[in-house]
Amino acid sequence: MTSEHSEPPSRAGRRPTMVDVARLAGVSLKTVSRVVNGEPHVQRAMADRVLAAVAELGFQRNHMASALRAGRASATIGLIIEELANPFYSTIAHVTAEMARDRDTLLLSASSEEDPVREEQLLRDLCSRRVDGLLVVPAGCDHSFLNSQVEMGIPVVFLDRPGTNIEADAVLLDNRGGARSGVRRLVADGHRRIGVLLDSVDVHTMRERLAGAQDALADAGIGYDGALVRSGVRDPATAAAAVADMLTQPNPPTAFLALNNRITVGAVQELWRRSSDAALVGFDDFELSHLMPRPLTVIGYDTRELARRAAQLLFARIDGDRSRPRTVVLPTELIERGLTAAAATA
């Protein structure tokens, strides 16, 4: 003898619906809707029946439909960053996710890997998913393709770097001022030959930081020497190689300015390996910088505040702020890091 078991609708190869929940709970569809949407004035016994049916069927609320009824596109926002492995970007993603969660909003994040083509594909994909807004750390040099989306009501906020060919909010760092302060510190300490290590002048932050270094040199009456500037330095390995090469040149630099944290790490490694006493200033603080085996100065800032201000701007736009786009510039500061010479030899 065999017995047959009639499975709930959710086991039949499709997602359970509110109709299924209503049928199992023996209540009206309207009652199910009120319970799953958290509306008041539902009898406790009836609500318990609905919740029991929801649990048995594995029913999940359709957030998209709920958002549409509330006049929102999807209750989601998109975030495009460069690479999640970099602590700077992972912090931005974490803070943004926290703020989105407080708004009952889902964050969809992706990495462009510094590829403008991939960035555009990702942004177009997010727009097709009807996100309520976009936060973007831009890789490309032309964001005019987003103008039509902005006109249709999808706000865009750029952070760390401004967008190009688009009027949109931006939250930036004082890159030029920070680099200027760092080089001024080196000049005040007696250095006149200062090596500058950067990724690419195609990147807005690199251009601004290089310009700040040039400002400080000009203010001190020190001529700009292109031989002391190395571009194409993208990671600790290429940074270490650049430092090694520059230190073997006749009349080598006595100090270095590294224009991001990955470059700084490579520079520290090579200077330590050579027991060099060349001074080092690096843009971006980084985890464990206080444990570096030699003294260095970092140009620091509040990454969490950068992300927080950008998300605040985006949610204000989503909530109806139609004021003109604005640019917020956050300050930087010089911070002494690494072990002191005395501690390193103790």
Side-chain angles (χ1 to χ4, degrees):
M1 180 182 293
T2 62
S3 63
E4 293 184 358
H5 175 66
S6 178
E7 293 188 340
S10 62
R11 306 297 190 265
R14 64 179 178 85
R15 293 179 179 178
T17 67
M18 285 200 293
V19 172
D20 298 323
V21 174
R23 184 180 298 119
L24 183 61
V27 300
S28 69
L29 184 61
K30 184 177 180 179
T31 297
V32 174
S33 176
R34 291 174 64 189
V35 172
V36 299
N37 286 298
E39 296 179 17
H41 311 306
V42 179
Q43 293 180 3
R44 179 59 182 269
M46 194 170 290
D48 288 344
R49 282 160 55 191
V50 171
L51 293 174
V54 165
E56 181 176 341
L57 294 173
F59 171 79
Q60 292 183 325
R61 178 187 178 202
N62 187 332
H63 288 276
M64 175 74 81
S66 299
L68 288 172
R69 284 193 294 271
R72 298 174 63 190
S74 63
T76 62
I77 60 172
L79 170 66
I80 300 296
I81 55 179
E82 297 305 325
E83 56 170 331
L84 280 170
N86 188 317
F88 173 76
Y89 297 116
S90 60
T91 298
I92 288 174
H94 178 69
V95 172
T96 306
E98 287 181 338
M99 296 187 67
R101 184 174 61 248
D102 290 342
R103 299 259 312 196
D104 196 24
T105 296
L106 179 67
L107 174 67
L108 303 177
S109 60
S111 172
S112 69
E113 302 299 334
E114 202 75 49
D115 181 348
V117 174
R118 176 174 168 79
E119 175 190 68
E120 181 172 346
Q121 291 172 339
L122 289 169
L123 287 169
R124 289 186 183 278
D125 183 56
L126 286 170
C127 290
S128 73
R129 294 172 187 270
R130 300 189 66 183
V131 294
D132 294 338
L134 293 167
L135 288 167
V136 185
V137 178
C141 298
D142 182 9
H143 297 93
S144 58
F145 66 91
L146 286 173
N147 281 316
S148 60
Q149 301 297 327
V150 172
E151 291 170 2
M152 288 189 291
I154 299 180
V156 180
V157 177
F158 293 92
L159 63 161
D160 189 44
R161 310 167 189 173
T164 308
N165 298 327
I166 184 173
E167 288 193 15
D169 296 313
V171 181
L172 313 174
L173 299 171
D174 184 10
N175 290 291
R176 189 164 186 157
R180 185 188 302 117
S181 296
V183 173
R184 282 177 176 170
R185 168 70 62 85
L186 293 173
V187 170
D189 289 340
H191 300 284
R192 297 184 65 83
R193 292 188 59 77
I194 301 169
V196 181
L197 308 171
L198 67 144
D199 183 344
S200 169
V201 291
D202 291 335
V203 179
H204 170 82
T205 51
M206 292 289 129
R207 287 197 305 274
E208 286 293 293
R209 293 170 187 181
L210 179 60
Q214 293 171 329
D215 290 344
L217 292 173
D219 291 344
I222 301 173
Y224 177 73
D225 185 352
L228 291 174
V229 178
R230 294 294 175 89
S231 62
V233 182
R234 292 182 168 81
D235 52 36
T238 53
V243 169
D245 182 64
M246 294 175 81
L247 287 177
T248 59
Q249 301 297 317
N251 197 15
T254 61
F256 289 90
L257 174 68
L259 294 190
N260 69 25
N261 52 9
R262 300 187 73 196
I263 296 173
T264 301
V265 169
V268 167
Q269 291 172 344
E270 185 61 22
L271 293 174
W272 177 252
R273 189 182 73 81
R274 290 172 169 268
S275 299
S276 172
D277 60 359
L280 175 63
V281 172
F283 218 107
D284 308 329
D285 201 356
F286 55 95
E287 190 176 11
L288 303 181
S289 60
H290 61 292
L291 295 179
M292 290 293 101
R294 68 186 310 279
L296 73 150
T297 302
V298 297
I299 302 166
Y301 47 84
D302 190 340
T303 306
R304 293 185 62 86
E305 180 67 4
L306 179 75
R308 188 182 69 82
R309 294 289 291 274
Q312 283 180 335
L313 267 176
L314 183 66
F315 284 123
R317 296 300 187 189
I318 291 171
D319 290 341
D321 183 350
R322 296 295 179 261
S323 61
R324 288 192 58 79
R326 55 187 178 272
T327 298
V328 177
V329 180
L330 301 182
T332 61
E333 61 177 330
L334 298 181
I335 307 171
E336 299 306 318
R337 295 297 197 201
L339 302 176
T340 64
T345 57

